[in-house]
Amino acid sequence: MQIVRKDADALNVTIDITLEPNDYAPKYESELKKYKNQAQLKGFRKGMTPISVIKKMYGKSILSDVINETLQTKLFGYIDEQKLNYLGQPLPNRDENFVFNLDVNNLQEYKFSFDLGLAPTLQIQGVSATDSYDCYEIDVEDAQVEKEFEALRRRYGTRVDVSDTIQNMDMVKLDAEELDGNVVKENGWKTEFSVLVDIIYDQDVKNEMLTKKLGDTITFDIYTLEDKDAAHIDKYILKKTEDQEVGNMFVAKIIEVSRIEPAILNEEFYQMFGDEAIVDEASLKALMKNDIKTHNAQQTNQYMNRDIMDALLEKNRVELPETFLKKYLKESNENVSDEVLEKEFDSFAKNMKWSLIKSQLAKDYGIEVKEDDLKRHFTNSVFSYMRNYGNMDYAIISKTVERLMEDKDQVNKAYEEIQADRIFANIDTIIQKNIIPISQESFTEKVKELNERLNNL
């Protein structure tokens, strides 16, 4: 066997491989014998079919598989031996490779050629002790904690029927009839449905609803009652089963009003959170405030990390073998047109550059993500989710974690999250941070602006 490396430039390499008969002949002969021992062809006893017949019937298929397997072993063995950090997968060089005439009786020498795109060598700039980044610190106001506390009580509250003036979070059941002008239309459409007052889209109707009570009537355009399209209104509010003409205007009688009574603050309520420190309203609010602070810190860190990511992409010149990558993307996605490829390539290249920077940082910081890390990540996520709903059944938590550990996509996503978190945690201990106090509203606006900018890239 001969392997020759040709460097077109620092990032583009061609590997020529010449397979000689002695590289694959032993494996070929071995496979022929396996077929012979297993074959049971008409006219021959099992295992007694002549090799010449096996070759005639299966030889080319067997030889093709053996050559391909040998080629892959030699190619990737060479890549590993040379420690070539390549992108994508090796691609057959269309200009060099040709259709082989496989002679099962006269083994020959075969030549192959593969193109590789190499990853650049990086020395990351922008994460030293002299680099500084802005880090926002959100004020947690008592009003926000109180709002979250009342929302929590409603979540665990009980829905009851009421007859007093309707409130914003009430659920209202309406018995509606189609109008013809100002009167109920004879043989017009009738429907009965419920709507949460808070989501009524027509503001005038919503304001009027807040002056009504059980037994009153109200008029509205049924297609502007909710912020939904006509198909949704037809199916879920009008409940039409045929393509029947129905007008927009309806009058409805309020036949039921229900409201959530907040959960009673007692020992049973506090025990739902699975924390012995929660014994009264003050201790629960303290926990909630700490949760809000933790959540805010995560949000502001993510915002700062985005700034760091943008800075690293700007400060580090990451060269890519673009011609190879375009070829790789085209061959890996047969349905992608040249036009779409050109349009989407810049975004792909940016993600590739960030991936290379991230990989280099993980290597620099000695970051590894192991199975126990993944399991801990899933356990914490599920535990946090279940606690929000007062369900601390550890058997359910354990089974959910086991299911997530078997989901390849979830595992890959978790791996990326853990690795990124550890990279930025390391960066956090190195760089200088400019702490900037900010209100929740102002920070929300900044996040909105960032998302709009990213969506328009």
Side-chain angles (χ1 to χ4, degrees):
M1 181 190 69
Q2 297 179 11
I3 297 183
V4 178
R5 169 176 169 172
K6 301 174 183 176
D7 291 59
D9 54 46
L11 299 178
N12 290 277
V13 172
T14 298
I15 297 177
D16 294 333
I17 299 179
T18 301
L19 289 184
E20 299 169 352
N22 59 7
D23 293 318
Y24 63 87
K27 178 68 174 176
Y28 174 55
E29 297 296 334
S30 174
E31 290 300 311
L32 287 173
K33 288 179 181 178
K34 285 183 182 179
Y35 268 76
K36 170 182 167 62
N37 293 334
Q38 296 170 1
Q40 190 168 4
L41 303 180
K42 188 176 181 180
F44 301 99
R45 287 182 296 165
K46 183 178 181 181
M48 299 303 293
T49 305
I51 286 291
S52 59
V53 175
I54 297 294
K55 284 185 178 182
K56 184 176 181 180
M57 298 186 67
Y58 307 111
K60 285 191 176 182
S61 174
I62 296 172
L63 183 57
S64 177
D65 289 344
V66 167
I67 289 176
N68 184 63
E69 182 181 334
T70 304
L71 178 63
Q72 296 297 314
T73 300
K74 300 296 185 183
L75 173 62
F76 287 101
Y78 176 81
I79 290 173
D80 290 342
E81 178 187 311
Q82 297 296 312
K83 295 181 173 56
L84 299 181
N85 186 12
Y86 61 94
L87 303 176
Q89 290 292 329
L91 294 178
N93 188 308
R94 303 299 182 187
D95 296 330
E96 297 291 338
N97 292 327
F98 52 90
V99 177
F100 300 107
N101 181 22
L102 298 177
D103 188 337
V104 298
N105 296 305
N106 183 25
L107 301 185
Q108 302 173 18
E109 178 182 278
Y110 295 107
K111 295 181 179 180
F112 303 87
S113 185
F114 293 89
D115 294 330
L116 267 73
L118 302 183
T121 301
L122 301 177
Q123 291 185 336
I124 307 301
Q125 306 296 317
V127 287
S128 70
T130 59
D131 292 296
S132 62
Y133 296 90
D134 292 339
C135 182
Y136 294 102
E137 190 173 81
I138 303 173
D139 299 324
V140 180
E141 300 177 355
D142 290 341
Q144 182 182 2
V145 177
E146 188 64 34
K147 181 179 179 181
E148 295 289 337
F149 179 71
E150 292 304 321
L152 183 68
R153 289 186 65 192
R154 285 196 301 273
R155 189 183 306 160
Y156 293 108
T158 304
R159 185 168 289 279
V160 296
D161 293 334
V162 295
S163 58
D164 58 344
T165 302
I166 292 171
Q167 298 179 13
N168 195 51
M169 296 304 294
D170 288 349
M171 183 69 72
V172 178
K173 190 172 186 179
L174 302 171
D175 184 9
E177 296 181 279
E178 184 182 358
L179 288 175
D180 183 4
N182 294 322
V183 298
V184 174
K185 183 177 180 179
E186 185 177 356
N187 296 322
W189 193 265
K190 296 181 180 181
T191 184
E192 188 176 289
F193 62 92
S194 297
V195 62
L196 182 66
V197 176
D198 186 54
I199 68 168
I200 293 177
Y201 184 66
D202 188 320
Q203 193 60 47
D204 291 336
V205 174
K206 183 175 183 178
N207 291 338
E208 184 180 356
M209 184 70 79
L210 293 171
T211 68
K212 302 290 185 177
K213 61 181 183 299
L214 183 68
D216 290 345
T217 60
I218 186 169
T219 301
F220 50 81
D221 182 336
I222 202 162
Y223 284 98
T224 62
L225 192 63
E226 294 185 6
D227 187 17
K228 302 291 184 180
D229 59 22
H232 179 93
I233 300 299
D234 287 344
K235 182 175 182 180
Y236 295 103
I237 295 183
L238 288 172
K239 302 169 185 174
K240 291 168 58 176
T241 57
E242 300 177 0
D243 188 18
Q244 182 175 342
E245 288 291 330
V246 177
N248 286 35
M249 297 307 298
F250 278 72
V251 61
K253 182 178 181 180
I254 301 169
I255 58 175
E256 185 179 298
V257 182
S258 61
R259 181 179 304 154
I260 293 179
E261 284 191 352
I264 298 173
L265 301 179
N266 55 23
E267 183 177 358
E268 181 181 358
F269 175 72
Y270 296 125
Q271 287 178 344
M272 288 193 301
F273 300 95
D275 190 332
E276 294 181 356
I278 301 175
V279 294
D280 54 20
E281 181 177 335
S283 56
L284 178 55
K285 285 183 177 179
L287 174 69
M288 294 179 69
K289 186 170 186 177
N290 185 65
D291 284 348
I292 293 172
K293 282 184 177 180
T294 300
H295 174 74
N296 287 346
Q298 292 172 345
Q299 296 297 306
T300 54
N301 276 336
Q302 287 177 8
Y303 191 91
M304 180 182 70
N305 292 345
R306 180 70 206 194
D307 283 344
I308 294 173
M309 172 183 167
D310 290 342
L312 295 183
L313 284 167
E314 183 178 344
K315 293 180 180 181
N316 294 277
R317 184 177 177 84
V318 183
E319 298 288 350
L320 294 177
E322 293 193 2
T323 301
F324 170 84
L325 289 174
K326 288 178 180 179
K327 179 181 176 183
Y328 169 74
L329 290 172
K330 189 71 183 295
E331 294 196 11
S332 301
N333 303 274
E334 295 180 357
N335 296 326
V336 174
S337 66
D338 292 337
E339 182 181 0
V340 171
L341 182 60
E342 288 299 324
K343 182 180 178 181
E344 301 292 335
F345 185 75
D346 285 347
S347 177
F348 169 82
K350 185 175 182 180
N351 288 333
M352 175 67 76
K353 290 176 182 180
W354 172 240
S355 180
L356 291 170
I357 290 173
K358 194 169 60 170
S359 295
Q360 185 61 51
L361 287 172
K363 187 183 298 183
D364 292 344
Y365 300 146
I367 293 172
E368 295 182 0
V369 179
K370 300 180 180 179
E371 184 176 343
D372 287 346
D373 300 319
L374 293 166
K375 191 169 185 178
R376 192 178 306 110
H377 173 87
F378 286 133
T379 300
N380 291 339
S381 297
V382 175
F383 183 88
S384 178
Y385 176 83
M386 300 288 273
R387 191 181 73 177
N388 288 335
Y389 292 90
N391 186 343
M392 301 309 294
D393 188 326
Y394 291 96
I396 294 178
I397 293 174
S398 179
K399 288 181 180 179
T400 303
V401 170
E402 288 178 7
R403 187 173 67 252
L404 290 170
M405 288 291 290
E406 295 173 355
D407 188 322
K408 185 178 179 180
D409 290 338
Q410 290 290 339
V411 168
N412 289 339
K413 182 181 177 182
Y415 180 95
E416 293 293 331
E417 288 180 7
I418 296 169
Q419 185 191 62
D421 286 346
R422 291 181 178 179
I423 287 171
F424 283 113
N426 274 271
I427 292 174
D428 190 69
T429 65
I430 298 171
I431 62 169
Q432 299 294 320
K433 290 192 288 186
N434 304 320
I435 305 299
I436 303 175
I438 192 172
S439 67
Q440 181 66 62
E441 293 75 15
S442 296
F443 182 72
T444 299
E445 187 61 31
K446 281 188 170 294
V447 172
K448 180 181 177 182
E449 292 171 358
L450 172 63
N451 289 334
E452 289 176 351
R453 176 167 62 85
L454 295 177
N455 289 334
N456 292 327
L457 287 178

